[in-house]
Each structure stands twice: as structure tokens, then as C-alpha cells.
């Protein structure tokens, strides 16, 4: 049997726009995702988050499910456009009240609330003013963080500033696959910086909070030992992992990344003191891992998410894929965790997302196998000295999977969107068992 230390934290994760619905209720105004979904051709099937899993009205039932599974923690995100509908200025108490009710309901069940302040729902007026490529957005984010922190600091201990700034910056402003759907490579680099700056300023605005940031990191391997393939892997590692890890944990952008980006930007948007702000001490690093990357020299479909490294091609590793098309490789998670401990030692790590999209309604054997393999990789990492403190499955519920709409299902709990009926999948029962036994 593979067991984890008694304090190991077992959780599940969701995000506001993906589950809440109630898009126009209690004073919430549009975010960039409402606008994006309303733009024809952006989201499969024309799906939107207007109703989603209706969690805004069903949160009590959903917390009940969490209790049934024995979750120690629940990672969710707070919708900025509920709390500050215009992105600045007036605070909407009804929006804050929803999160107070949710947090209280979690605490009644002894489930630790793990809020994330930003999981991609930027208030539309801030995008109208230029969005993340503008420095002012970082200042607005810190103001919003202070508001939420003040409202919930008495009941929340662990705070996450951002979820996956890579997606916000590079899918939002380079490929345009995510909201706001812009295709401006140089803006994406500015967006990445202002997201990081927002993270640092938010920490300063939340005195005495235990804080972290969640990054979507991966293990990158070159196709061959040929110099140009090895260089391709270095570049992708730079643009996926180190461009966020180094500023946060080493107070500097990686020199090779700065050089690769020289044709795109001179980094003149970086002001004196920014890196010091960004490198404010954090208490944990959240790691979202789904799939590894095998890369080589070549060309990608343009526009690439890897700004400045367009001559890189992703290769097929020959492994099984989930329904969303991502290759399954738990070894990649182990390699990633070992690498983080080697290159960025001592920072406590949490897997804040890991999971798989499959179609099976309830008897989701493939998802059980995916989760089992990845939880085993976590155990192996811990046994090899990685300071991994917890694991959150993505996702508690089937939900709005961004540009794929409702077609891709990541939940361990099935949602029938016609009736909003929740049904535990086999993976949820398997997970409850893992939690109860403290291992596999
Ligand atoms: C993450 N990509 O998103 C998010 O944090 C979740 O909201 C999401 O549901 C989950 O992973 C599954 O997709 C990603 O294209 C979306 O590389 C897209 C990518 C990566 C992560």
C-alpha cells in the first residue's frame, strides 16, 4: 500500500466562471469570458457560462457532495465581476456575500476553503481600458485582492493570487483561443508581466495571509539529442515554466528567455522594483499538471502560444490521449516535481489541478486509471524528498471547459445539464476511498 503522511491535504478544484452560472445575478456584470462566449465562433457549440453547473444556487448541495467524499479542502475561485462589477471602485456586497456563505458552509463541514482570486474572469471594463497588457490592471487587481481579503481573512487561511497566468497571457493575447481573444504577441509578454506584478502587489495588499500562486507547468523533453531539438525544449521550458517561476522565486526573468524575446520586446514595460515586488515571499507554489510535452525544431500552426519561439513543433509521444487530446503520462508529473525540488528547492508544493477529460458518464474507468497513476507519481515524489503537501483533483464537477464549452467533461461528479442532477462517477468513489485510507 502507498500511503501519504497524515497531514497530506486531499482536495478538489473548480473555478467561478466554469461552474457558477447566475451570470447576471446579484449585481454581477460581464467579464471578458461573457463577452468572448457571446462572440460567434469563439466557443464550441456557442456554449456560455450563463448557467453552467448552477453552483451559485446549488452550492449547499455541492458542499454536501464534498463532505460525502471526505475532502479536506476545496479550491474554488472568486469572480472579480461579482465583487467589483466594474473592476474598480464600488464593491458589491451581494457578490461578497455569496463567497461568505460558501466559505461558512465549507467550514461547517471541516473543509478548508482555498480561494483563488483570479481564474480568468477579468471585468470587461478593465479589458476595455486595455486589459492585462496595461500596467493599471495590476494595480486594480491588488485593490480587488485587498477587498476580498478583508472580507474573508477571518475564515480563510490559504490564498492563491492567480490561476495559470500562462493561459491568461498567451492564450488570451497571443493565440486568441481564450478571452479576450487578441492575437498580439508583444501584448502577451506585457500581459504576463502585469499578471506577475498583480500577484506581487496583491500579496502586499493581504497582510499576514498565507499566499501562493498556481502555475500550469509541464515537463518538456526534446525529440532527439540534435542541437536544434534540445534548443526547442529549452525555449518551451523557458516560455511555459521559467518565465513565471524565475520572477516569482528568483526575482529575475531568465536571461535566455529575455534574449529569445528580443525581437518581440525590449522589456521596457518592466519598471525598477517590479521584480522585487513579484518575488515577495510565498508560502506555497500551486502546480497544475495535465500532460508532458515532446518538442523539436519545426514550425507550428500560427499564431503560436510560444511567442518568440515559433520554430518549435510539438510531437506525438505515442501515448494514449484523453478526449481533449492531451497525452497521458504520469511519469511527466514525477519528473516535473523532481525538477522543481532541484531547481527551486524548499518551497512547499501543492498539486492544485490534475485530472482528465473523458466521455464516460458514470463508469469512468479511464479517469480512475489516470488519477491513480498520477497520485502514485505524487507518492513517489514525496518518497524522494519533494515537499509536496497536497493534491487537488480537477474537477469536482463537470463544467464549462472554456473554448470547448460543455463537450469536455473533467468532473469526478457527473452533471446532467438539463436537470442539473449530480451523480458520483466511479472516480469520485475511488477518490473518497483514497482519502479515507490516506493513500492507495
Ligand atoms: C486549466 N492549454 O486550463 C484550467 O486551470 C482549468 O480551468 C481547466 O478547466 C483545466 O486546466 C482543464 O483544461 C487549461 O491549452 C486550459 O494548454 C488550456 C490549456 C492549459 C490549461
Amino acid at each position: 500500500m502507498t500511503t501519504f503522511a497524515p497531514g497530506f491535504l486531499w482536495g478538489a478544484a473548480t473555478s467561478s466562471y466554469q461552474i457558477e452560472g447566475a451570470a447576471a445575478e446579484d449585481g454581477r456584470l460581464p467579464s471578458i469570458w461573457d463577452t468572448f462566449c457571446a462572440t460567434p465562433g469563439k466557443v464550441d457549440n456557442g456554449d456560455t457560462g450563463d448557467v453552467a453547473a448552477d453552483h451559485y444556487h446549488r452550492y449547499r448541495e455541492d458542499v454536501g457532495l464534498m463532505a460525502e467524499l471526505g475532502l479536506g479542502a476545496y479550491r474554488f475561485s472568486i469572480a472579480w465581476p461579482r465583487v467589483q462589477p466594474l473592476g474598480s471602485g464600488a464593491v458589491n456586497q451581494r457578490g461578497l456575500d455569496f463567497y461568505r456563505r460558501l466559505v461558512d458552509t465549507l467550514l461547517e463541514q471541516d473543509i478548508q476553503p482555498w480561494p483563488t482570486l483570479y481564474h480568468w474572469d477579468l471585468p470587461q471594463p478593465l479589458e476595455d481600458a486595455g486589459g492585462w497588457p496595461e500596467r493599471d490592471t495590476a494595480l486594480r487587481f491588488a485593490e480587488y485582492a485587498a477587498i476580498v481579503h478583508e472580507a474573508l481573512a477571518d475564515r480563510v487561511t490559504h490564498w492563491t493570487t492567480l490561476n495559470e497566468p500562462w493561459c491568461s497571457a498567451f492564450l488570451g493575447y497571443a493565440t486568441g483561443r481564450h478571452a479576450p481573444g487578441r492575437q498580439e504577441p508583444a501584448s502577451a509578454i506585457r500581459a504576463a508581466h502585469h499578471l506577475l506584478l498583480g500577484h506581487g502587489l496583491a500579496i502586499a495588499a493581504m497582510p499576514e495571509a498565507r499566499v501562493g500562486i498556481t502555475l500550469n507547468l509541464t515537463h518538456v523533453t526534446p525529440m532527439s539529442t540534435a542541437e536544434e531539438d534540445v534548443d526547442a525544449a529549452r525555449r518551451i521550458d523557458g516560455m511555459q515554466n521559467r518565465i513565471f517561476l524565475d520572477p516569482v522565486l528568483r526575482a529575475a526573468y531568465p536571461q535566455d528567455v529575455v534574449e529569445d524575446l528580443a525581437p518581440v520586446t525590449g522589456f521596457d514595460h518592466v519598471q525598477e522594483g517590479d521584480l522585487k515586488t513579484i518575488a515577495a515571499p510565498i508560502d506555497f507554489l500551486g502546480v497544475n499538471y495535465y500532460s508532458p510535452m515532446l518538442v523539436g525544431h519545426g514550425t507550428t500552426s500560427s499564431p503560436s502560444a510560444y511567442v518568440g519561439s515559433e520554430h518549435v513543433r510539438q510531437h506525438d509521444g505515442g501515448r494514449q490521449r484523453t478526449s481533449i487530446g492531451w497525452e497521458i503520462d504520469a511519469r511527466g508529473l514525477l519528473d516535473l516535481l523532481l525538477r522543481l525540488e532541484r531547481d527551486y528547492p524548499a518551497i512547499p508544493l501543492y498539486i492544485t489541478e490534475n485530472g482528465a477529460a473523458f466521455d464516460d458518464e458514470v463508469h469512468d474507468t479511464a479517469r480512475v486509471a489516470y488519477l491513480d497513476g498520477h497520485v502514485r507519481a505524487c507518492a513517489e515524489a514525496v518518497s524522494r524528498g519533494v515537499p509536496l503537501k497536497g493534491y487537488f483533483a480537477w474537477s469536482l464537477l463537470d463544467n464549462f471547459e472554456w473554448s470547448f464549452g460543455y463537450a469536455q467533461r473533467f468532473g469526478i461528479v457527473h452533471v446532467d445539464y438539463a436537470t442539473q442532477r449530480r451523480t458520483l462517477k466511479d472516480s469520485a468513489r475511488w477518490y473518497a476511498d483514497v482519502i479515507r485510507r490516506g493513500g492507495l
Side-chain angles (χ1 to χ4, degrees):
M1 179 158 162
T2 307
T3 48
F4 289 77
F8 193 84
L9 193 62
W10 297 102
T14 63
S15 88
S16 49
Y17 191 67
Q18 294 182 274
I19 64 164
E20 286 179 358
E25 253 182 81
D26 291 340
R28 182 188 181 280
L29 290 178
S31 79
I32 54 175
W33 271 96
D34 297 270
T35 308
F36 194 70
C37 291
T39 311
K42 297 298 186 191
V43 174
D44 290 357
N45 195 38
D47 288 343
T48 76
D50 287 356
V51 178
D54 196 33
H55 172 77
Y56 193 78
H57 300 115
R58 295 168 195 266
Y59 70 93
R60 284 185 187 281
E61 176 187 351
D62 292 338
V63 174
L65 290 171
M66 298 175 212
E68 194 179 332
L69 298 182
L71 298 188
Y74 172 52
R75 174 177 182 258
F76 59 99
S77 78
I78 293 175
W80 189 348
R82 286 195 196 284
V83 172
Q84 246 187 334
L86 296 173
S88 59
V91 176
N92 177 32
Q93 286 301 332
R94 286 178 297 168
L96 277 176
D97 285 345
F98 169 68
Y99 297 106
R100 286 199 189 97
R101 291 195 298 274
L102 172 62
V103 164
D104 287 345
T105 310
L106 289 164
L107 292 173
E108 279 163 24
Q109 299 289 346
D110 265 331
I111 300 168
Q112 284 182 35
W114 277 53
T116 297
L117 291 168
Y118 186 73
H119 198 128
W120 310 352
D121 35 9
L122 184 72
Q124 183 62 38
L126 295 185
E127 174 57 27
D128 296 340
W132 286 110
E134 292 302 319
R135 189 178 178 90
D136 186 59
T137 305
L139 309 183
R140 298 287 71 77
F141 177 67
E143 183 182 297
Y144 153 71
I147 294 164
V148 179
H149 180 253
E150 194 181 296
L152 297 176
D154 58 339
R155 331 167 202 207
V156 167
T157 54
H158 289 74
W159 295 83
T160 299
T161 55
L162 305 176
N163 176 69
E164 303 191 354
W166 182 88
C167 290
S168 301
F170 297 108
L171 302 183
Y173 295 92
T175 70
R177 279 284 284 162
H178 280 187
R182 285 162 59 181
Q183 299 184 336
E184 303 162 20
S187 301
I189 303 300
R190 294 170 62 95
H193 181 70
H194 296 136
L195 282 151
L196 285 167
L197 182 63
H199 156 80
L201 292 170
I203 292 176
M206 301 192 294
E208 283 160 51
R210 267 187 266 176
V211 286
I213 183 171
T214 279
L215 303 176
N216 52 316
L217 305 174
T218 192
H219 184 70
V220 188
T221 314
M223 250 306 267
S224 78
T225 54
E227 201 181 312
E228 53 184 11
D229 289 338
V230 172
D231 192 60
R234 174 194 65 73
R235 283 169 172 273
I236 300 306
D237 179 52
M239 290 300 290
Q240 181 79 50
N241 302 323
R242 291 180 291 116
I243 193 173
F244 296 103
L245 287 166
D246 282 28
V248 169
L249 297 170
R250 297 178 173 173
Y253 278 106
Q255 195 49 42
D256 62 316
V257 169
V258 171
E259 285 165 23
D260 292 344
L261 286 170
V264 185
T265 172
F267 279 83
D268 49 354
H269 53 279
V270 179
Q271 295 184 10
E272 206 180 322
D274 282 4
L275 282 150
K276 191 159 178 267
T277 303
I278 293 168
I282 54 173
D283 300 283
F284 63 92
L285 175 68
V287 178
N288 291 357
Y289 173 86
Y290 289 93
S291 192
M293 283 180 82
L294 178 65
V295 300
H297 181 78
T299 42
T300 28
S301 55
S302 63
S304 168
Y306 299 99
V307 174
S309 289
E310 284 79 7
H311 292 289
V312 171
R313 199 159 83 84
Q314 200 175 341
H315 289 267
D316 186 344
R319 299 190 182 83
Q320 263 189 306
R321 290 175 186 266
T322 64
S323 66
I324 208 169
W326 300 351
E327 281 190 71
I328 303 170
D329 184 16
R331 172 79 210 193
L333 175 57
L334 174 59
D335 288 337
L336 169 63
L337 290 170
L338 293 171
R339 183 272 175 104
L340 288 172
E341 166 58 3
R342 190 185 67 229
D343 291 351
Y344 306 90
I347 176 93
L349 303 176
Y350 288 84
I351 301 298
T352 38
E353 284 181 28
N354 175 243
F358 287 110
D359 296 331
D360 347 20
E361 288 226 334
V362 171
H363 297 302
D364 56 342
T365 321
R367 183 175 292 100
V368 171
Y370 180 100
L371 295 172
D372 182 90
H374 288 75
V375 169
R376 278 177 204 283
C378 290
E380 171 79 16
V382 171
S383 78
R384 290 164 70 168
V386 174
L388 179 66
K389 307 296 182 195
Y391 175 93
F392 291 77
W394 182 270
S395 177
L396 177 72
L397 302 171
D398 287 336
N399 60 52
F400 174 76
E401 179 49 35
W402 307 113
S403 57
F404 297 94
Y406 295 98
Q408 297 294 337
R409 293 176 176 269
F410 276 89
I412 58 174
V413 175
H414 179 266
V415 177
D416 173 5
Y417 295 109
T419 61
Q420 294 294 349
R421 205 174 107 97
R422 276 85 164 126
T423 311
L424 299 191
K425 300 183 190 179
D426 289 350
S427 54
R429 299 184 189 283
W430 167 88
Y431 194 41
D433 229 47
V434 170
I435 297 171
R436 198 170 37 76
R437 294 159 42 168
L440 298 149

